[in-house]
Amino acid sequence: MADPTLPDVKKLLDDPGVSDDVKRDLVTAFVSSDPRSAFDLQSHADRLGMPGLFLPALGTDVRPWPGLLEDAVHKAEQQRNKRESDEGRQALGDGRTGVANSNSILDQGAPGLRYFEYFAPLYQRCISGSEVTRDKACELYDEQRDIDFAALRADGDTVTKAARKLSSEIVDQRNSWNSIDQIWTGQGAEAANARVDGYLRQAAAARSQVEKFGAVLNPAADALEKAVQDKARFVAGLYADTIDGKSAEQISEIIYYAQNGHNSLTAMPETYRVLQMFGASVTPGFLDFLKIATPILGGPPAYLGDLIEKAEKHARDFVDKVFVPDVEGKWRALVRACTAGDTSVREIYKKIVVEVNTINDHPFAALTSGLPPIPDQAQQPQEKPH
């Protein structure tokens, strides 16, 4: 974890999802690591009920506790991530459509992927070479990025308006021809009428195809948006920063304990931490007692091995029966959701393509070129020459 900068800390202190208690710890930890930042954070400290607390420390040799700043930042980031996840789920919950593109929807559901950010690296320590990684999760989730719903809806409106305009033009041309047809008779008029009638019928068929295509685009945009929403809403629900009440840091220690032997007094601090994670009651001074008793007894008490064995069983059972199944279950759920979303989007685009292919892009090709033949003198009896 890179050392947090002052702007990073200020963003966390301004985040409404981070509790005041955690913010106070963060201010304390950051100023202890960099006393010069006290002036920069004084306004935040004032709001948190810590006025002038750090000013006397300036210029002194302050030595922060190891890990204090890292722990404070980690807690603040987890609370911020939880807030982002909750807001994303809430925004996706009403199912309303009308956003411009898919990115804003996917961004709302993306905090759910932090589950894999926290736990996929730990899973890799248990099942090496697995495809379960944060990067792969993001790759699957981001397949539907950059879908422009607004452009598709705009195209639908444009095509629909064009169909209406074409319909109006056809009516105008039909009316114009009728006014001519009423005063023009004979074979030439009949030939011309057949020509114009064929042209207008083909134009009406083309208008119908264009109108049908335009009517498909807006519902298709809504359907695409809903497909992306469904996936994003599901993924947002995957968010968790604990498994069975245990944080990623605790699970990391449990995995290490399960995978490595512990058969000496030096392992007892780790053993008792693991036992505490699984609800064992630990007497605070017990380790000190062991340090005194061991030389007297000529070795650690016999039941020490039982405690280690018990801790190892807790750790292995948790890894095998809780942690690994939880990650694998979430991974399968993610893959199903992403596959379903991808299938839905592809099917919608296929329907659009089908409608496009029904449009005749040469609607007048069946009509012969030029004017129809008009009866002339060549078809009448010819006068014989003298």
Side-chain angles (χ1 to χ4, degrees):
M1 175 181 177
D3 291 338
T5 64
L6 182 61
D8 294 334
V9 171
K10 285 185 173 181
K11 285 182 181 179
L12 291 172
L13 293 174
D14 291 334
D15 195 293
V18 181
S19 69
D20 285 351
D21 286 341
V22 172
K23 287 179 180 178
R24 291 187 190 98
D25 291 343
L26 181 57
V27 170
T28 302
F30 193 74
V31 173
S32 69
S33 67
D34 182 9
R36 292 171 298 178
S37 67
F39 286 117
D40 297 303
L41 295 180
Q42 192 60 60
S43 61
H44 292 86
D46 290 342
R47 289 198 298 270
L48 294 168
M50 310 166 71
L53 180 61
F54 303 104
L55 296 181
L58 294 178
T60 63
D61 184 16
V62 179
R63 298 184 181 277
W65 294 346
L68 180 65
L69 179 57
E70 183 177 346
D71 290 344
V73 170
H74 178 68
K75 288 178 182 177
E77 287 179 338
Q78 282 194 309
Q79 290 190 353
R80 177 203 61 196
N81 295 345
K82 179 66 165 55
R83 188 262 307 164
E84 291 177 349
S85 175
D86 291 343
E87 289 180 354
R89 276 183 285 190
Q90 184 177 1
L92 292 166
D94 56 21
R96 287 180 294 178
T97 57
V99 301
N101 61 68
S102 61
N103 292 351
S104 60
I105 297 174
L106 292 173
D107 289 345
Q108 289 171 334
L113 296 173
R114 287 203 172 97
Y115 173 90
F116 298 102
E117 179 181 327
Y118 299 148
F119 300 114
L122 301 177
Y123 180 83
Q124 287 285 335
R125 286 167 52 186
C126 303
I127 312 293
S128 61
S130 167
E131 67 172 352
V132 179
T133 65
R134 173 194 172 278
D135 289 347
K136 182 63 176 179
C138 292
E139 178 185 333
L140 291 172
Y141 183 70
D142 286 340
E143 285 178 343
Q144 282 75 48
R145 282 202 175 270
D146 299 321
I147 299 178
D148 197 333
F149 307 131
L152 196 57
R153 291 186 177 104
D155 288 344
D157 292 341
T158 299
V159 173
T160 299
K161 289 177 182 177
R164 291 172 183 165
K165 178 66 174 175
L166 182 56
S167 180
S168 177
E169 290 292 335
I170 292 172
V171 171
D172 289 345
Q173 290 191 28
R174 173 63 70 184
N175 291 336
S176 297
W177 173 251
N178 287 342
S179 66
I180 297 174
D181 188 50
Q182 290 174 3
I183 60 175
W184 187 14
T185 60
Q187 290 181 310
E190 292 175 1
N193 185 62
R195 171 76 175 184
V196 172
D197 185 66
Y199 167 79
L200 292 177
R201 280 189 286 105
Q202 290 297 110
R207 180 209 60 78
S208 178
Q209 293 169 352
V210 171
E211 182 180 50
K212 187 178 179 183
F213 174 58
V216 164
L217 294 181
N218 271 286
D222 290 345
L224 287 168
E225 186 173 345
K226 185 179 183 304
V228 177
Q229 275 186 346
D230 288 344
K231 181 177 79 168
R233 187 182 303 110
F234 181 85
V235 172
L238 295 178
Y239 178 86
D241 54 17
T242 63
I243 294 178
D244 196 34
K246 295 171 180 57
S247 67
E249 292 76 15
Q250 290 176 313
I251 293 173
S252 177
E253 187 168 0
I254 290 171
I255 292 172
Y256 179 83
Y257 196 91
Q259 294 177 338
N260 296 274
H262 300 275
N263 55 8
S264 68
L265 184 61
T266 57
M268 286 313 297
E270 293 83 0
T271 298
Y272 271 88
R273 280 199 301 272
V274 170
L275 289 173
Q276 284 180 315
M277 292 178 201
F278 294 98
S281 177
V282 179
T283 303
F286 186 72
L287 291 179
D288 292 333
F289 166 75
L290 284 177
K291 291 178 182 178
I292 297 172
T294 298
I296 297 174
L297 298 174
Y303 66 84
L304 205 60
D306 294 336
L307 292 177
I308 292 174
E309 184 177 344
K310 184 178 180 180
E312 287 179 343
K313 186 176 187 308
H314 277 306
R316 289 168 183 161
D317 284 350
F318 176 82
V319 170
D320 295 339
K321 299 178 181 179
V322 178
F323 172 70
V324 168
D326 192 271
V327 175
E328 291 178 346
K330 290 280 182 70
W331 183 260
R332 287 192 296 269
L334 173 71
V335 171
R336 283 196 301 268
C338 292
T339 301
D342 184 67
T343 299
S344 296
V345 167
R346 290 178 184 277
E347 288 300 320
I348 294 164
Y349 275 119
K350 283 181 182 178
K351 291 178 182 178
I352 295 175
V353 171
V354 168
E355 291 300 329
V356 170
N357 290 336
T358 63
I359 298 176
N360 183 357
D361 54 356
H362 297 288
F364 307 110
L367 299 177
T368 58
S369 61
L371 292 173
I374 299 175
D376 56 18
Q377 295 298 318
Q379 297 174 316
Q380 303 297 325
Q382 300 294 318
E383 183 179 354
K384 294 181 181 180
H386 296 288

